[in-house]
Amino acid sequence: MTKKIKTSSALKEQKGISQPEMTSQDSIDRIKKKRTNQISADALAHDILKGNITALSRGITLVESKNKDHLNEANALIMKCLPYANKSIRIGITGVPGVGKSTFIEAFGNLLISLGKKVAVLAIDPSSSLSKGSILGDKTRMEDLVKQPNAFIRPSASGETLGGVARKTRESIILCEAAGFDIIIIETVGVGQSETAVHSMVDFFLLLQLTGAGDELQGIKRGIIEMADAIAINKADGDNLKRAKIAKIEFDRTLHLYPEKSSNWQPKTAICSALNNEGIDAIWKIIQEYIQVTTKNGFFNKKRNEQNKFWLIQTIENQIKTDFFNRSKIKKELQKQLELIELNKTTPFACLLYTSPSPRD
Ligand code: GDP
């Protein structure tokens, strides 16, 4: 007799389950479908809340899934985890490629773990959505940290728009917090729009810089400096140490020229050597001070509230956009308009007349 296939949870699937007698494509498809359905939000949430890392990984895969069937389960999972989230410190780290982000996160993460924290590292990598390859994923990164039982490192979801990756990262934060991670580090390459996305989901934003503030300062986008709660000049070692100290003074001067932040926090500067593990604890002290100051003056909670509102609006906007482009009438009309554009028979702006949504569509 054929053993009954357990359908409640794929996590509990045992070795040695006998094969079904029929192996037609049809039956294979049916089995595949069954397996997919086995990703049950209940079971995953249960295991995530117990701190099970495999379940956390699977949960993130579920929220990242583009499969429409997974959407409901993913939403259910987020809802179940939400009451247990919100209890961490979320830190955004940005800087140009090569500034030392992974080396820094390795040193910083290990310091936090030595202090008894559980550290999750998530990445938002805009390059992965453009080139389908990932700057962040190319390297063997954070080799030590990755081995720590209290660390969880997850590269960015690839092949998505920045908006898509950002939303999924935000949901992943919730799952990591539910799994008991109390420090969430969101890393991004400081080359595009991703800093704004990261800024909209973290409590503290750290900009890593190299020396040579004077001239190079011109090249750094003003907006990124404005967002930073602290600027750390990395690679402050060897011959570079003196220049790093000068750069720090320059940055201090620059930061004082910026308008006061609504957090009442005056952004700090620091020098560090991620490679030599120097100055890392001072940066943790700055972050702790920030948390203390902003918790006391109410900004910490206010900012999280504002971020939640922002994400609510983003979610609605996304939903409206998806619904709109999925309408059969719009799909047909859009195709027609695209062809007309190619023939120079219309303008991109004239399309508005044809595609403006009507409630009767
Ligand atoms: P990322 O691209 O920003 O993640 O940068 P990486 O962490 O991969 O570092 C780029 C290069 O800089 C590597 O060769 C690191 O060893 C080196 N590096 C990182 N931090 C430091 C540091 O504090 N001092 C020195 N001298 N080199 C560093």
Side-chain angles (χ1 to χ4, degrees), residues 95-104 136 139 141 187 234-237 272-276:
V96 292
V99 69
K101 289 181 296 300
S102 20
T103 315
F104 178 86
L136 299 175
K139 296 176 283 179
R141 315 178 75 242
E187 175 190 10
N234 190 32
K235 306 201 186 181
D237 44 49
C272 66
S273 168
L275 196 66
N276 297 344

Side-chain angles (χ1 to χ4, degrees), residues 295-335:
T295 306
K296 209 168 159 194
N297 70 17
F299 182 80
F300 189 88
N301 279 335
K302 192 173 149 224
K303 187 173 175 185
R304 282 206 173 179
N305 268 328
E306 291 302 321
Q307 289 175 337
N308 282 336
K309 287 182 201 163
F310 170 80
W311 282 97
L312 173 77
I313 302 291
Q314 289 276 311
T315 310
I316 295 172
E317 279 180 4
N318 279 343
Q319 191 60 48
I320 291 174
K321 216 161 108 181
T322 312
D323 287 351
F324 178 80
F325 283 109
N326 279 336
R327 288 185 198 179
S328 57
K329 213 172 157 186
I330 295 296
K331 271 188 189 163
K332 261 190 240 153
E333 189 59 44
L334 184 60
Q335 191 53 39

Side-chain angles (χ1 to χ4, degrees), residues 125-316:
D125 180 358
S127 61
S128 66
S129 34
L130 297 175
S131 63
K132 309 259 190 252
S134 162
I135 299 177
L136 299 175
D138 283 349
K139 296 176 283 179
T140 314
R141 315 178 75 242
M142 306 168 207
E143 280 171 352
D144 271 349
L145 192 59
V146 90
K147 288 183 215 142
Q148 297 277 2
N150 279 341
F152 176 78
I153 299 175
R154 177 87 178 193
S156 142
S158 61
E160 270 274 7
T161 59
L162 176 59
V165 173
R167 198 201 57 173
K168 285 164 184 185
T169 306
R170 214 181 125 85
E171 292 179 343
S172 303
I173 292 178
I174 294 169
L175 300 188
C176 288
E177 290 177 350
F181 287 89
D182 43 16
I183 306 277
I184 317 282
I185 296 173
I186 317 288
E187 175 190 10
T188 192
V189 182
V191 289
Q193 295 294 307
S194 54
E195 298 85 6
T196 316
V198 172
H199 189 247
S200 69
M201 59 179 89
V202 297
D203 306 310
F204 188 92
F205 197 63
L206 174 68
L207 172 64
L208 289 185
Q209 280 289 336
L210 296 170
T211 53
D215 285 346
E216 284 165 39
L217 197 59
Q218 312 299 320
I220 305 161
K221 275 185 247 131
R222 189 191 152 98
I224 299 182
I225 299 205
E226 234 163 20
M227 278 189 252
D229 296 305
I231 296 176
I233 296 124
N234 190 32
K235 306 201 186 181
D237 44 49
D239 293 346
N240 226 4
L241 182 59
K242 204 170 152 202
R243 266 180 287 157
K245 284 181 180 166
I246 296 170
K248 181 183 175 326
I249 297 169
E250 288 283 327
F251 275 115
D252 269 333
R253 246 184 239 144
T254 311
L255 285 173
H256 272 98
L257 299 177
Y258 283 74
E260 202 178 303
K261 291 188 164 208
S262 49
S263 54
N264 272 336
W265 169 258
Q266 174 60 41
K268 302 270 187 294
T269 59
I271 57 170
C272 66
S273 168
L275 196 66
N276 297 344
N277 220 336
E278 286 162 4
I280 311 296
D281 48 351
I283 293 167
W284 174 231
K285 280 206 184 91
I286 292 177
I287 298 174
Q288 283 176 298
E289 192 190 333
Y290 173 89
I291 306 291
Q292 213 178 21
V293 169
T294 55
T295 306
K296 209 168 159 194
N297 70 17
F299 182 80
F300 189 88
N301 279 335
K302 192 173 149 224
K303 187 173 175 185
R304 282 206 173 179
N305 268 328
E306 291 302 321
Q307 289 175 337
N308 282 336
K309 287 182 201 163
F310 170 80
W311 282 97
L312 173 77
I313 302 291
Q314 289 276 311
T315 310
I316 295 172

